[in-house]
Amino acid sequence: MPIDFDPYTFEILSNAKHVVILTGAGISSESGIPTFRGEEGLWQKFRPEELANFNAFMDNPKLVSEWYNYRRNIINKVKPNAAHHTLVEFESVFPYITVITQNVDGLHQKAGSSHVIELHGNIYRNYCIECGKRYDYVKLDTRNGAPACEECSGLIRPDVVWFGETLPMDAIQDAQQHAASADVMFSVGTSAVVYPAADLPRAAKTHDAYLIEINPEPTDISMIADETIHNKAGEALPVLLKQYKAWLD
Ligand code: APR
């Protein structure tokens, strides 16, 4: 099915000063990273209550650390895809771009996006749960389970937000401010079921932003979006930019 954006969307984009893009696991799926709730999603195979919360980590730090190793090994092998690269191109087309991501894979930064807010942390950052000493993944020996802190022998955990944990204050406050000041907000590759991230498109809409959703499947955001494109991000975003540039000519 050809992807055709509404010319009205181009008109809005041509007057936009601040374009904000909220992304979820779907934007990285075409790079080869499984989503969470899709058919082949991680939560179909693994139980989040056993792997992605603090009590589970304290109960079985080895299992949880090995699972994050498993995920890092997947991410290590992949590259950003056309969707990530198009968001980098946005930076030379629109005055001000903010990427707000729920992903912990670092692929936006790897692609070259210069303004990325990580709501749920980053899988390559780690810290000691006792003294807070920070470790980046490359230096950590996780072969024998949860690595211990050199300073205090405390357990080292990934710097990601687990279920039941609050988001980093500065990241969520930053994201809420940008959502509220957006002229155009994209919601790309998220099921929009995890809060407070899922509130951001609604907050932008409340502040009169024009909302565009890109997701092969309908979500709760589809109902409030000004334009919804039910396609893969790696196909739809390059087409949007191509059609927009043609419209500008
Ligand atoms: N392009 C765009 N969207 C896609 C693509 C694609 N190629 N492939 C799948 N999707 C969509 C799916 O239809 C789904 O709606 O991406 C969405 C992925 O949803 P989830 O797996 O729920 O991921 P996400 O919304 O990022 O989850 C939010 O939940 O598990 C926690 O902390 C984790 O950050 C994560 C949060």
Side-chain angles (χ1 to χ4, degrees):
M1 256 267 291
I3 303 170
D4 274 317
F5 284 84
D6 180 343
Y8 181 64
T9 294
F10 300 144
E11 207 175 307
I12 297 284
L13 282 169
S14 67
N15 297 315
K17 298 212 175 13
H18 189 191
V19 175
V20 176
I21 306 102
L22 174 69
T23 67
I27 200 169
S28 294
S29 68
E30 291 160 82
S31 293
I33 301 178
T35 66
F36 293 95
R37 294 170 189 82
E39 252 164 58
E40 300 296 310
L42 288 170
W43 297 151
Q44 310 299 345
K45 296 189 197 127
F46 304 100
R47 296 157 52 85
E49 58 278 12
E50 280 174 15
L51 294 163
N53 69 72
F54 188 74
N55 297 337
F57 177 68
M58 295 313 285
D59 292 348
N60 194 339
K62 185 172 189 310
L63 174 71
V64 172
S65 297
E66 283 168 354
W67 189 62
Y68 278 91
N69 259 357
Y70 158 79
R71 292 181 60 195
R72 286 186 197 107
N73 288 337
I74 294 173
I75 300 168
N76 290 347
K77 296 192 189 88
V78 306
K79 290 191 172 60
N81 62 60
H84 297 104
H85 292 302
T86 304
L87 295 185
V88 177
E89 276 187 78
F90 271 24
E91 296 187 15
S92 58
V93 176
F94 303 107
Y96 186 33
I97 292 291
T98 303
V99 174
I100 302 171
T101 190
Q102 298 167 83
N103 301 343
V104 296
D105 56 32
L107 288 185
H108 286 298
Q109 295 93 324
K110 216 178 202 176
S113 280
S114 58
H115 186 210
V116 181
I117 300 171
E118 294 178 311
L119 289 178
H120 296 162
N122 185 301
I123 205 168
Y124 290 103
R125 290 195 304 266
N126 303 270
Y127 63 91
C128 168
I129 63 171
E130 302 299 338
C131 71
K133 183 175 165 56
R134 307 201 69 83
Y135 293 84
D136 77 28
Y137 162 64
V138 182
K139 295 196 199 69
L140 276 178
D141 181 355
T142 54
R143 278 167 300 171
N144 310 314
C149 176
E150 301 156 351
E151 307 275 332
C152 74
S153 309
L155 286 172
I156 297 172
R157 60 163 283 176
D159 184 11
V160 298
V161 178
W162 282 330
F163 288 101
E165 294 186 327
T166 53
L167 275 59
M169 190 58 83
D170 52 349
I172 188 64
Q173 284 178 345
D174 219 5
Q176 285 162 341
Q177 272 162 20
H178 285 290
S181 67
D183 300 304
V184 174
M185 176 98 165
F186 286 84
S187 178
V188 180
T190 181
S191 56
V193 296
V194 173
Y195 290 79
D199 264 333
L200 296 169
R202 292 179 179 84
K205 193 81 186 139
T206 311
H207 288 85
D208 301 327
Y210 187 84
L211 182 57
I212 304 164
E213 182 186 47
I214 297 178
N215 190 322
E217 307 293 329
T219 73
D220 291 353
I221 300 297
S222 312
M223 291 176 289
I224 62 166
D226 298 288
E227 175 146 36
T228 294
I229 299 290
H230 288 309
N231 270 87
K232 294 182 172 183
E235 293 162 13
L237 283 170
V239 166
L240 171 105
L241 205 50
K242 191 159 168 261
Q243 291 181 356
Y244 178 59
K245 287 180 175 172
W247 180 87
L248 284 174
D249 281 349

